[in-house]
Amino acid sequence: MIENPDKLNNQAIILASDGAYNEAIACFKRALVIQKDNYLLWYNLGVTYRDAGELKDAKRALEMAYTIAPDNGDVVETYATITLMLKQLQEVKYICEEGLDFNPLNSHLWNLMGVADFQLEDYEEAAEYFEQAVSINPYYLDALYNLRDTYSLLENKMGESVCDTRIKELEK
């Protein structure tokens, strides 16, 4: 009987949701032997590696998904997030910049760029990225918190106060 990549993908997702990461990873790998250019298989493999705590393997799988589907927002965001978790901050910015070429209104990518710059202690640049994220999505609480914290470090009391007010409104 010939194995079907879609069935293997579905089986792997069920296994991963039950915490059987090694078995799920094996299913994804079998599916990728059959269909190596399927970005979704690489993406799901990367997410499963991430959930299993294997960040370097997650990054490698997500890099393959990204190579195949650089315009897919979920792939770009997850790839950038894993890269951020690995503290590869300049690479995070590069991935986000490329992703924003395909979708300049992706508030999550703007926020991730801000987080990278915040960790690089470039607070002025970080504030600009967080401001962009919030201007695209005024309900994006993570970006608002990040912007408030950045304003605090920059001693921008007015900006910090505006963020606090907005956060309180959204948390009601």
Side-chain angles (χ1 to χ4, degrees):
M1 175 162 88
I2 297 175
E3 291 183 311
N4 178 317
D6 291 334
K7 287 183 181 178
L8 287 167
N9 181 57
N10 292 338
Q11 181 182 358
I13 290 170
I14 291 167
L15 288 165
S17 70
D18 289 338
Y21 300 121
N22 291 335
E23 294 84 352
I25 289 166
C27 280
F28 287 127
K29 286 182 174 181
R30 281 201 323 266
L32 283 163
V33 167
I34 300 166
Q35 207 172 55
K36 71 176 189 264
D37 289 334
N38 183 327
Y39 87 89
L40 188 57
L41 292 172
W42 286 108
Y43 174 79
N44 288 337
L45 176 61
V47 169
T48 303
Y49 272 129
R50 177 202 65 200
D51 293 348
E54 303 292 334
L55 295 182
K56 288 181 181 177
D57 289 330
K59 183 182 177 207
R60 281 191 284 277
L62 288 161
E63 185 174 22
M64 289 299 298
Y66 177 72
T67 299
I68 298 165
D71 58 337
N72 183 292
D74 290 334
V75 170
V76 177
E77 287 176 37
T78 307
Y79 179 37
T81 300
I82 294 298
T83 305
L84 180 67
M85 293 168 76
L86 290 167
K87 303 288 187 206
Q88 297 168 343
L89 303 177
Q90 293 299 336
E91 191 173 351
V92 170
K93 292 181 63 173
Y94 176 77
I95 294 164
C96 290
E97 286 169 358
E98 283 196 337
L100 288 166
D101 285 343
F102 290 104
N103 182 2
L105 298 179
N106 185 321
S107 59
H108 295 278
L109 294 179
W110 287 107
N111 186 61
L112 284 167
M113 286 187 44
V115 171
D117 270 331
F118 188 92
Q119 290 184 13
L120 289 166
E121 298 181 4
D122 186 350
Y123 303 121
E124 293 284 342
E125 191 78 14
E128 289 182 28
Y129 292 135
F130 295 138
E131 288 166 355
Q132 185 68 30
V134 171
S135 73
I136 293 167
N137 181 357
Y139 302 98
Y140 189 3
L141 271 172
D142 284 347
L144 273 168
Y145 279 115
N146 291 337
L147 182 57
R148 181 197 63 194
D149 294 347
T150 305
Y151 282 158
S152 176
L153 287 170
L154 292 171
E155 298 181 7
N156 178 345
K157 299 299 180 199
M158 176 70 86
E160 188 177 357
S161 175
V162 169
C163 288
D164 270 333
T165 300
R166 184 74 181 134
I167 289 167
K168 286 176 185 154
E169 289 171 0
L170 291 175
E171 289 181 332
K172 285 184 181 179

